[in-house]
Amino acid sequence: MLNRPASKPNDLNAFWMPFTANRQFKQAPRMFVSAKDMHYTTDDGRQVLDATSGLWCVNAGHCRPKITEAIQRQAAELDYAPAFQMGHPIAFEFASKLAAIAPEGMDHVFYTNSGSESVETALKIALAYHRAKGDGSRFRLIGRERGYHGVNFGGISVGGIVANRKMFGTLLTGVDHLPHTHLPEQNSFTRGEPETGEDLADALERIVTLHDASTIAAVIVEPVAGSTGVLIPPKGYLKRLRNICDKHGILLIFDEVITGFGRLGTPFASDYFDVIPDIMTTAKGVTNGVIPMGAVFVKKEIHDAFMNGPEHLIEFFHGYTYSGNPIACAAGIATLETYQEEGLLTRGAELAQYWEDALHSLNDARHVIDIRNIGLVGAIELEPMAGQPTKRAFTAFLKAFDEGVLIRTTGDIIALSPPLIVEREQVDRIVDCIRSVLAEID
């Protein structure tokens, strides 16, 4: 029998927590011990409404029976199989199911274990693809200011969040950045896609002029920038970026780790914006957050560029011990079935207007300086406290938790992304809680 720790551990010292104010947390821990559908249960028995899908990942809600049962069956049948020079049927089955819902032409899948690994994989595919075509001078990677692409060296190099970059030295060389798309003076309190800012994509032409297109391998952007505070692309921006990449032979990578699997009311943001990238990164919702997994989608012509030379040779020297793990694949298939049986990949479109109206009802709440929304994702930006950036939003986070709602904050922005099973009365509960919290905090 497992020697399980008590629900209240007597020593919190050993675990160095990620992206956490460790000292503050360990003085007043916030512990979840179970979850079901839209709610967590705390160690003191309180129900907490999940307004963030865990960390943008539990799209179908918590502890869904089909997913749980699939994991149990698979663990008892085939727990692990190597993915190097070997295979197991469920990995191929899952890849086919993923390709079937992917944007047109993205019919090959490379498995990873997280969004960060998906980004690293996508960047390596882009560089190796140009070399496979005999175009090895293309080595530059272009990211975007305020972009978040995970925490590995490639991801933080093309990423543009200062706090994630400043402690880690020079990072990758040959990287440049587009400007972000946040224009608060013109676009504050916009509902959906902003009208102003399409021409920000033209900054790629400036970068091409500086470096020459012959040196640029790929551009990577989040269709909707999530972790930086929900920055929504202006109308026409992504199509313009696609056209410039096509003009100069540059690959376009969409980081859909957050936007994939129904978050915008379509299977992928690519579908929502009607812009198909060359490479697309996913993770999080691919297994409903239950088992770590990621999947990188590529167009056929990219995959096929590697399929040359003697057939006994490895075409792409990259991969992970757990690429296509059997239990993760089983969880993924059950997740897709849950999405499809309950219409969750498009349910966000049905709720989007109600969600939008509810969020924007906070436009007169204390401290609010902007509200942004698209699909079932939203942001409420707060006026920072003088000399104490992030403190107001963090205080709101703590207060909301005490009142039974889990929100997420980044800087002084409250970011919201409830599971796709959310009901209207739960949307009201989230918004009412935030209004109450903002009325009470300094």
Side-chain angles (χ1 to χ4, degrees), residues 56-220:
W56 310 87
C57 53
V58 188
N59 290 1
H62 295 275
C63 293
R64 301 304 307 273
K66 181 181 283 285
I67 303 171
T68 301
E69 293 163 7
I71 292 168
Q72 292 170 334
R73 286 194 306 270
Q74 189 61 47
E77 180 179 307
L78 177 65
D79 56 350
Y80 175 81
F84 301 177
Q85 305 286 14
M86 295 297 297
H88 59 90
I90 196 169
F92 295 91
E93 178 186 354
F94 186 33
S96 295
K97 290 180 179 294
L98 286 170
I101 66 167
E104 183 178 358
M106 307 200 80
D107 50 5
H108 292 277
V109 175
F110 196 104
Y111 291 124
T112 69
N113 306 293
S114 67
S116 294
E117 288 185 0
S118 288
V119 167
E120 301 295 301
T121 298
L123 298 178
K124 289 177 74 174
I125 288 173
L127 294 171
Y129 166 74
H130 288 296
R131 285 181 175 267
K133 291 203 318 171
D135 204 3
S137 65
R138 290 185 181 266
F139 67 93
R140 295 189 188 277
L141 301 167
I142 311 301
R144 188 166 61 186
E145 297 168 1
R146 295 187 66 171
Y148 180 73
H149 301 292
V151 295
N152 293 347
F153 272 96
I156 57 176
S157 296
V158 296
I161 297 179
V162 173
N164 292 355
R165 295 167 52 88
K166 65 183 180 181
M167 297 180 71
F168 307 111
T170 57
L171 306 176
L172 296 186
T173 59
V175 174
D176 209 333
H177 290 79
L178 296 162
H180 62 71
T181 61
H182 188 43
L183 300 173
E185 296 82 5
Q186 298 98 314
N187 295 328
S188 61
F189 295 96
T190 292
R191 291 170 175 253
E193 297 170 74
E195 296 287 342
T196 303
E198 175 187 347
D199 58 343
L200 289 168
D202 292 341
L204 182 55
E205 292 282 16
R206 175 188 59 79
I207 291 173
V208 167
T209 299
L210 175 64
H211 298 298
D212 196 81
S214 66
T215 70
I216 301 174
V219 171
I220 181 169

Side-chain angles (χ1 to χ4, degrees), residues 160-400:
I161 297 179
V162 173
N164 292 355
R165 295 167 52 88
K166 65 183 180 181
M167 297 180 71
F168 307 111
T170 57
L171 306 176
L172 296 186
T173 59
V175 174
D176 209 333
H177 290 79
L178 296 162
H180 62 71
T181 61
H182 188 43
L183 300 173
E185 296 82 5
Q186 298 98 314
N187 295 328
S188 61
F189 295 96
T190 292
R191 291 170 175 253
E193 297 170 74
E195 296 287 342
T196 303
E198 175 187 347
D199 58 343
L200 289 168
D202 292 341
L204 182 55
E205 292 282 16
R206 175 188 59 79
I207 291 173
V208 167
T209 299
L210 175 64
H211 298 298
D212 196 81
S214 66
T215 70
I216 301 174
V219 171
I220 181 169
V221 296
E222 301 160 273
V224 176
S227 295
T228 193
V230 185
L231 306 186
I232 298 163
K235 290 181 178 177
Y237 170 87
L238 292 174
K239 287 191 175 183
R240 199 154 171 172
L241 203 58
R242 172 76 275 181
N243 291 338
I244 296 171
C245 286
D246 288 342
K247 174 183 173 183
H248 296 292
I250 299 168
L251 295 180
L252 178 60
I253 304 170
F254 276 1
D255 185 341
E256 294 225 29
V257 170
I258 282 176
T259 54
F261 303 101
R263 181 52 52 192
L264 303 189
T266 53
F268 299 96
S270 175
D271 304 306
Y272 184 96
F273 295 108
D274 191 26
V275 178
I276 300 177
D278 301 295
I279 303 173
M280 185 172 73
T281 68
T282 68
K284 294 189 183 288
V286 72
T287 60
N288 202 43
V290 177
I291 300 284
M293 192 179 205
V296 179
F297 295 74
V298 301
K299 287 183 174 178
K300 182 178 186 297
E301 53 266 34
I302 293 175
H303 167 270
D304 289 354
F306 291 86
M307 300 300 131
N308 51 42
E311 291 187 0
H312 68 282
L313 295 181
I314 295 169
E315 297 96 358
F316 182 44
F317 282 82
H318 177 70
Y320 303 96
T321 299
Y322 303 107
S323 293
N325 174 274
I327 300 173
C329 289
I333 290 173
T335 296
L336 289 188
E337 290 174 353
T338 300
Y339 290 156
Q340 292 166 344
E341 289 168 6
E342 300 181 15
L344 297 182
L345 294 180
T346 55
R347 187 169 187 266
E350 302 167 18
L351 290 172
Q353 189 61 59
Y354 192 87
W355 173 251
E356 177 180 292
D357 292 341
L359 288 185
H360 283 270
S361 73
L362 293 168
N363 61 7
D364 61 347
R366 287 186 70 208
H367 310 305
V368 174
I369 60 173
D370 193 14
I371 295 173
R372 302 181 286 276
N373 71 279
I374 190 169
L376 277 184
V377 62
I380 301 156
E381 187 158 358
L382 308 180
E383 180 73 36
M385 296 176 70
Q388 300 184 84
T390 79
K391 186 174 182 180
R392 177 166 284 147
F394 185 66
T395 303
F397 160 76
L398 296 176
K399 183 67 174 172

Side-chain angles (χ1 to χ4, degrees), residues 11-23 25-26 167-168:
D11 185 0
L12 307 182
N13 186 56
F15 181 21
W16 187 355
M17 300 171 67
F19 281 108
T20 296
N22 277 253
R23 291 164 297 168
F25 178 90
K26 292 174 183 180
M167 297 180 71
F168 307 111

